[in-house]
Structure formats: structure tokens, C-alpha cells
Amino acid sequence: MNNACQTQKEDDIRPSAMAETFDPMRTPTGRRAMLWLPRGQSAAWLIGAFIVAAMVAAPVVAVAWIALFPTENIWPHLASTMLPRYLKNTGILMLGVGIGVTLIGVASAWIVTMCRIPGKRFFEWAMLLPMAVPAYIVAYVYTDLLEYAGPLQGFLRDLFGWQSAADYWFPDIRTKGGAIMVLSLTLYPYVYMLARAAFLSQSICAIEAARILGRSAWSSFLTVALPLARPAIVVGVVIALMETLNDFGTIDFFAVHTLTAGIFNVWLGMGNAGGAAQIALTMLAVVIALMVIERYSRRRQRFHDTTSRFQELPGYELSPLAKAGALAICILPIVLGFVVPSLVLIYYSIGYFDQSWTSDFFEFAGNSLLVSGLATLVAVGCAIFMAYALRLFPQPLLKFCVRLSSVGYAVPGAVLAIGVLIPFARFDNALDAVMRDTFGISTGLLLSGTVFALVFAYAVRFMAVSYGSIEAALGKVRPSMDDAARTLGESPWGTLKRIHFPMVRGGILAASVLVFVDGMKELPATLILRPFNFDTLATHVYQFAKDEMIEHAALGALTIVLVGVVPVIMLSRAISKSRPGHSGQS
């Protein structure tokens, strides 16, 4: 009765004209309704969000269209000859990487989170360092170290007096096994990051209950902590597998014929864009299958804490032997995935500094900064626009379109490049033909083969990264603050500018850094879409390494690694503070 009276009193004092003005989704009764045809500035937000979502989703639709309606259909030939080998190699690679990242990521996350080991604070962030090194750079470094003419085998031959490769056996790094090792060392941080966040968010009561019932620390991990963290672990593994599917530099250098290599072979080698699109569509099917598996794995799993007791985690004491094993599990991935590649790059950068520190290096670095910077502005700007539009109009159709626009990160760069370049090229050719026939002038390449195409592809691919950070930050702003600002006469843009921007600056900064670093490392899409005589640091490193001249590419590779360290530190700090009741101490 009191609530009803209070509601009536508020309705009596609310100015009806202002209610209709400040919120286009507020009805005269005070309830929010889904109005499909707002007017004025609100309409611009809604319509603009649909346009942005359509543009971002267009390359994926284009790939499907080109694959289903190719100019020259070579699908029967592909299906009977090369495709089975591509699928087999891709499957083996993904299986091996999936197992590798799961074992390394989950084991290290549990040890760092729940066990007392020396240097625990160091390992919390250092375990993420291999994420800063692109997999293709690690592949180049280890090939240089471990090949027959490399320093390691040369040292062994001098030490034992061996004369040729026939005198001893040494594993070949340029195999599927080598590719699995390299990708596992650089991609396990995805699993570590999400598994550690899941372990940190678990209430101590569930673990204590298992211990009271007689479970050991190992048994408590297997029966309680691991099942609770399984959804997060699966997400991390799926992300790692998507990155495996996107990789080109490693598999090309190791001569592993996967679906990604098939796109380059069919398109650039055979000159058949339709066949490349058909392989790309096959890759999309694999990506969709991974996403379905991730969703299916947690379809009915809902875990809620029934207590607010979030004290410091216990920190299990380990025996000397177990502690040594735990330290080995944490140290080896850091050493192999970050320290060794970084030391080799530093050594070569110093030794070949005069040959590398040239005007060409500054040009490549400038190109990388230009493309990554523009892509960051576009991706983050569009993410802010869509996140705020969805906040204004939480309609099912708009939610679907926004989610669809975020699928770009799951699409491999080579696939995305096809969806961008071919439609752009057809538009350029059609416009050029019309201008020639009508005015006798040639327009040339306006979209394809330009920086615009590259920036567009980057923005589409990394939209999900920026949108996720901004959506999370925007979700922490109370809706009542929007209503208060609009009641005082602020427009949607004014509310976003004066209220939301200051409150979500951290999320915008995080999104900007992540998109910028991903753009600096992106290789497959850059190789296909870059303009003529336009190289970035990534393509510069790829070209030299492909020609067995990693020494001359070391400075560029080291620059990419150093840029990648920044988000690693940011992510580590965010994860450490994610536990409820965090005290800031380990």
C-alpha cells in the first residue's frame, strides 16, 4: 500500500511534457516501452547502430556469397584433392594446441592462485608475457636456434665430434609438432587468464567444504574448483583455437598445409578467388562449430555464490618436490615463450643495429602506427556508438545486430581479407567502367588496395575486443544517472559526453590499447590487403624471416614485442583485482 502511494505521488509531481521529451522510450504511465520509430537525435543513434552493425557484418556475408556463387566453381576439385589434407592438418594442429594450452594454462593458473610458491607475485603477471610475442616471431627464433646450421646443433657437433646429421638425431622444428609447440607457448595465456579469473572468483567455502569431507588439495581441485571453472576454461581454449586457425606466419614458415595456407595457395597461386572463398567458408564453419561447442559446454551450468565470505585464498603448502615441480610448470612457459625469443631478438638487434636502424625501419614503423592508430579510432568509436545505442534501445533485433557485428574477432584474418577485398575491387572496377564510359576518366582504386581497406578490415576484426571492454565499463553506470541527465534537458549525445565518458575512460583506454596492439601484430589480413609498396612491421618481419634473414628482422620483431607488453601488464592487474573483497595483497 505504501509502495502504491509512493508511486502515485511520484507520478503526480512528474512533468508530463518533460517525460515525453527526455526519454523517447518512456510511456505516459512511466514504463519503458520498445518504440521502433523514435524521432530526432534518438533516431540517429538507433539507425546509426544498425548501419554500423551491417557494415561490420558485410565482409562475412560477402565471403558466403562469393563462395556459394563463384565465377569459376572449382569446389569438386578442391574437395577431392587438397581440402582433405587441409582439414586433416588443421584438425591435428587444433587438437595438439588445445591439449597444450589446456595443460599449461590450467596448471599454472591453479598453482599461481592457490599454492604458496616463491615469487608468486612475479608469476601472476609474468605468466601472461608470452601473449606479447606473436607466434610467427617465436617460430622464426626457434627455427634459427634449432635448425641444422643453428647455434645449438653446431655446439653439439663441436662438443661430441659429430661430422654430419647422419651421426646423430635431432628433432625437426619445421613440422606439425613444432608448430603445435610454438602455438601452445604463445596462446596458453588465454586459458591461464580466464582460468585464474575463475579460480579467484570462487568462494573459499566450497573448497573448505571439500577439505572438511576429507578431500586432499589435489582432489578438491579435480572435484570442486575445476568443474566450477570449466566454462571459463572452455572459453579460453576456444579463443586459443580461433587464434590457431587465424595463424599464417607460423604454419607457412613450418610448411604445414592448413586451411589458412589453402586460402593463400588457391587465391594467389591459382588465381581463383571463388575457390579461396569456399575454403574460407569452410573455415567459418569450423569457427561456428567452436562457438557452438563453447555455448553448449555451459548451456545448463549456472554457478552462484551463496555467501559473501570472500577472504584471502588459503595458499596450499607444497612439499619440496611438489614445489619444485610447480616452479618448473610456471618457469618453463615464461622462459620458452618469452625470455628466449626476447633475448635472441635483443642479441640480433644489437648486432645488426646499423643495418636495421634505417629510414625503411621508420617507414614500416610509421605505417604500423598509422594503420593501427586509425583502426583503433574507428573500432573504439564504433564500439562506443553501438554500446550506447543499445543502452538507449535494448531491443532484441538491435542486440542481435550488435552481437553479429562482434563476430569479426572469431573470423580469421585471411577470411576477412577476402570478404573485404573482393567486394571493394568489384565496386572499384564497376565505378571505373562507368566513369570511363561517361566522362572518359579513370577513377583507379578508391577502396581496394588502399589503406582504407586495411583499416576497415582491422576495425571489423577487432571490434569485439573494443566492444567487450566498453560494454563492461558502460554497464557499471547506473541507469538512474541517464534519467537524471535527461530530466535536466540533456540530449543523448550530451549525456554520453558529460556523464558517461568521464566514468568509462578506463574501459575506453583498455579497449584502445588492446586494439592497437592486435593491429600491430596482425599478419594474414595485412599481407592480402596492403597497398603496393606498403609494409608494416609485421610484413617486414615476415619477409625477412621467410628469406632466412631473421637477424635483419629482429629490431622490428622486438618493437612488436615491446608494444605487446603494455596490455599484458594491464590485464594482469585487472585479473588480480577481480576477486571480490580483494585487499591488494597476495
Side-chain angles (χ1 to χ4, degrees):
M1 186 66 180
N2 291 336
N3 291 339
C5 294
Q6 179 68 23
T7 302
Q8 181 62 41
K9 183 178 180 181
E10 290 177 355
D11 287 342
D12 291 340
I13 65 174
R14 180 185 295 115
S16 59
M18 185 176 291
E20 294 176 0
T21 301
F22 83 86
D23 193 343
M25 297 179 65
R26 180 89 61 185
T27 65
T29 62
R31 295 182 179 180
R32 296 180 67 85
M34 298 303 163
L35 300 182
W36 289 93
L37 296 174
R39 293 174 293 178
Q41 195 178 114
S42 298
W45 285 95
L46 183 60
I47 296 172
F50 281 120
I51 293 174
V52 172
M55 291 180 63
V56 174
V60 178
V61 177
V63 169
W65 179 268
I66 297 167
L68 295 175
F69 304 99
T71 303
E72 179 184 357
N73 186 19
I74 64 170
W75 178 254
H77 172 72
L78 291 175
S80 61
T81 55
M82 296 182 289
L83 189 62
R85 182 176 59 171
Y86 293 151
L87 287 171
K88 177 183 176 182
N89 290 336
T90 301
I92 294 174
L93 196 65
M94 294 176 70
L95 177 63
V97 171
I99 295 173
V101 298
T102 302
L103 293 177
I104 300 174
V106 175
S108 58
W110 176 256
I111 292 170
V112 170
T113 306
M114 301 297 295
C115 300
R116 296 180 182 175
I117 57 173
K120 180 176 179 179
R121 293 290 296 273
F122 166 77
F123 288 119
E124 286 180 356
W125 62 269
M127 293 301 303
L128 290 171
L129 285 176
M131 182 185 289
V133 190
Y136 55 84
I137 291 178
V138 177
Y140 304 153
V141 168
Y142 276 108
T143 300
D144 185 74
L145 287 176
L146 302 179
E147 65 182 354
Y148 179 78
L152 181 58
Q153 291 200 51
F155 171 76
L156 293 176
R157 287 194 297 271
D158 293 339
L159 182 64
F160 295 103
W162 295 328
Q163 299 298 319
S164 66
D167 297 334
Y168 65 98
W169 176 86
F170 196 86
D172 185 7
I173 187 67
R174 295 197 181 191
T175 60
K176 286 191 284 288
I180 289 172
M181 180 198 74
V182 167
L183 290 169
S184 297
L185 286 174
T186 55
L187 297 179
Y188 83 83
Y190 289 106
V191 180
Y192 166 83
M193 177 173 56
L194 294 175
R196 174 164 158 73
F199 292 146
L200 283 171
S201 66
Q202 293 175 6
S203 171
I204 192 175
C205 296
I207 300 173
E208 285 184 342
R211 297 304 301 273
I212 291 173
L213 294 174
R215 298 282 187 178
S216 63
W218 173 247
S219 181
S220 300
F221 165 72
L222 290 178
T223 58
V224 178
L226 188 60
L228 289 174
R230 189 167 72 92
I233 294 170
V234 171
V235 172
V237 173
V238 168
I239 293 175
L241 294 181
M242 288 180 180
E243 289 296 324
T244 300
L245 202 59
N246 177 61
D247 181 83
F248 175 71
T250 305
I251 57 100
D252 178 63
F253 198 64
F254 286 178
V256 180
H257 298 286
T258 63
L259 289 169
T260 304
I263 290 177
F264 281 84
N265 293 338
V266 173
W267 192 359
L268 303 181
M270 300 174 60
N272 192 295
Q278 289 168 340
I279 296 178
L281 191 61
T282 305
M283 292 181 68
L284 281 178
V286 175
V287 169
I288 292 172
L290 290 174
M291 296 174 70
V292 170
I293 291 172
E294 184 269 320
R295 293 287 182 183
Y296 183 81
S297 68
R298 54 187 175 93
R299 65 195 185 283
R300 294 181 180 177
Q301 296 182 0
R302 298 291 186 273
F303 302 109
H304 303 283
D305 293 304
T306 58
T307 178
S308 58
R309 185 185 174 193
F310 283 96
Q311 63 186 48
E312 292 297 326
L313 294 170
Y316 297 123
E317 284 289 353
L318 302 177
S319 65
L321 183 61
K323 186 175 293 186
L327 287 173
I329 291 174
C330 294
I331 291 174
L332 284 177
I334 300 172
V335 172
L336 297 178
F338 181 80
V339 176
V340 171
S342 297
L343 289 178
V344 172
L345 293 178
I346 292 172
Y347 174 78
Y348 282 144
S349 296
I350 295 174
Y352 291 82
F353 184 80
D354 292 338
Q355 295 94 319
S356 302
W357 192 257
T358 62
S359 58
D360 287 341
F361 172 80
F362 286 102
E363 180 183 349
F364 302 148
N367 291 339
S368 293
L369 293 174
L370 173 67
V371 176
S372 299
L374 290 175
T376 300
L377 290 176
V378 174
V380 174
C382 290
I384 294 173
F385 189 93
M386 289 193 296
Y388 189 62
L390 188 59
R391 184 181 179 91
L392 291 174
F393 304 97
Q395 301 171 352
L397 180 59
L398 184 57
K399 287 182 180 180
F400 171 78
C401 291
V402 170
R403 295 293 181 266
L404 182 63
S405 67
S406 300
V407 78
Y409 191 73
V411 180
V415 176
L416 201 60
I418 292 177
V420 171
L421 185 59
I422 294 179
F424 280 13
R426 291 181 179 177
F427 172 82
D428 285 341
N429 292 332
L431 180 62
D432 184 71
V434 171
M435 296 299 290
R436 283 177 181 272
D437 295 340
T438 306
F439 303 103
I441 60 175
S442 174
T443 57
L445 299 178
L446 299 178
L447 299 179
S448 59
T450 65
V451 173
F452 174 83
L454 199 55
V455 171
F456 180 76
Y458 279 21
V460 171
R461 173 151 170 71
F462 304 127
M463 181 70 71
V465 178
S466 57
Y467 180 82
S469 298
I470 292 169
E471 182 189 34
L474 202 58
K476 296 178 182 178
V477 180
R478 293 177 178 272
S480 59
M481 301 189 71
D482 298 56
D483 292 340
R486 302 296 297 277
T487 301
L488 295 173
E490 278 289 2
S491 64
W493 166 247
T495 304
L496 175 63
K497 180 181 178 180
R498 293 180 174 84
I499 303 299
H500 294 94
F501 272 150
M503 301 184 70
V504 300
R505 281 181 300 182
I508 294 175
L509 176 62
S512 300
V513 171
L514 291 174
V515 173
F516 182 82
V517 172
D518 280 341
M520 292 285 288
K521 296 190 294 184
E522 175 61 31
L523 180 62
T526 312
L527 286 174
I528 295 175
L529 293 173
R530 59 181 172 150
F532 292 111
N533 298 320
F534 184 92
D535 278 303
T536 63
L537 287 176
T539 59
H540 162 70
V541 171
Y542 168 77
Q543 294 293 347
F544 270 108
K546 188 177 181 180
D547 295 334
E548 306 290 343
M549 300 172 65
I550 183 63
E551 300 89 351
H552 296 277
L555 185 60
L558 185 63
T559 303
I560 296 175
V561 172
L562 292 177
V563 172
V565 170
V566 176
V568 165
I569 297 175
M570 294 175 58
L571 285 172
S572 176
R573 293 183 63 182
I575 293 171
S576 297
K577 294 179 180 179
S578 65
R579 178 173 173 79
H582 170 76
S583 64
Q585 300 175 352
S586 291

